[in-house]
Amino acid sequence: MNTPILATALFFVSAIATRQLVANSHRLSTLDIPNERSSHLTPTPRGGGIAFVATSLVGFLLLLLNDTLDNKSLLALCCAGAIIAMAGHLDDRQKISGAAVRLVLHAIGAIILIIGIGIPSQISLFDRTVNTGIIGSILGVLYLVWLLNLFNFMDGTDGIAAIEAIFVCIAGAILNYHVLSDINFSAAAIILASCTFGFLLYNWSPAKIFMGDIGSGYLGIAIGGLSLMAAKQQHELLWVWIILLAVFVSDATVTLIRRLLRKQKPHVAHRSHAYQHLAIRFNSHAKVSLLLLAVNIVWLLPIAFFVANKQLAGTTGVVVAYVPLIVAALVLGAGKDSATN
């Protein structure tokens, strides 16, 4: 199957589907009404993520026709993605009450990926190799659940989650190919990036539609699954994908820890992420998204390349990538309300 042709076709389908959602938002979408915790000023339809969710799932299923790929991994990715997307859709429609129900559904999706794809039996930690075992599987579930939730937390300004997903998928696909020398192992990432790009055309500032929980949670679990699929082929690639995700992980983690220390409920809407403080300071969503993209390209991509090229140990690369971003998040007031920043 020709991956570039398939990805291009799915890009157009995703863009057309998103446009139709915008045009029929009064019937097909719920409105996100601005409040004191919102970053937008006008009522905007949400739930538009269904466009890239549906098109990318179709793309993943079509990849099953490629005999060189691991069908079990692709099916796990589709099943987990569908479960998380459905949970997000119900949440967008306010059909789920309580964080516990969401968390159970998130854990189910994560467990499906761990069973279907698996985790590396061994992983490098600085200068030693460690057997993962059952502890590794538990950490894998926590990693996936955190990843899908942080995409939801970080989807607070126009285009930011879509930009992050597109960058991580394209960079991950390139580095997968650099290490594995087989475009087939990059196909799923390319498809997810192209479908998300079709949606971004209408989500860029000023956004005509938001992806909602259906889209943000799906991106998190799908990217987590793609990172595991890469690690299945070469375990050092797991560190590569984790490095590429550093901006989102740093901001979301620092914000969560600070809010927990302040005894604030982590699932309650707020505007205390570092990127939200920047959006207020710049008075622009687009500038924040472009700054994030610049940091990804100028800082994280070279580090990820050195790790992929075995010029830098994976965990060393993680430390080098994350420490400055964690410091930046602290300086920008991640986890602090705007009034106290």
Side-chain angles (χ1 to χ4, degrees), residues 245-263:
L245 287 160
V247 172
F248 263 33
V249 175
S250 299
D251 190 350
T253 303
V254 170
T255 300
L256 176 67
I257 291 172
R258 270 189 163 174
R259 287 180 62 79
L260 289 175
L261 291 175
R262 293 167 180 268
K263 298 182 180 180

Side-chain angles (χ1 to χ4, degrees), residues 270-285:
H270 60 89
R271 288 201 300 171
S272 62
H273 285 280
Y275 77 89
Q276 291 171 318
H277 291 311
L278 279 175
I280 295 171
R281 185 176 302 179
F282 293 161
N283 193 29
S284 170
H285 291 200

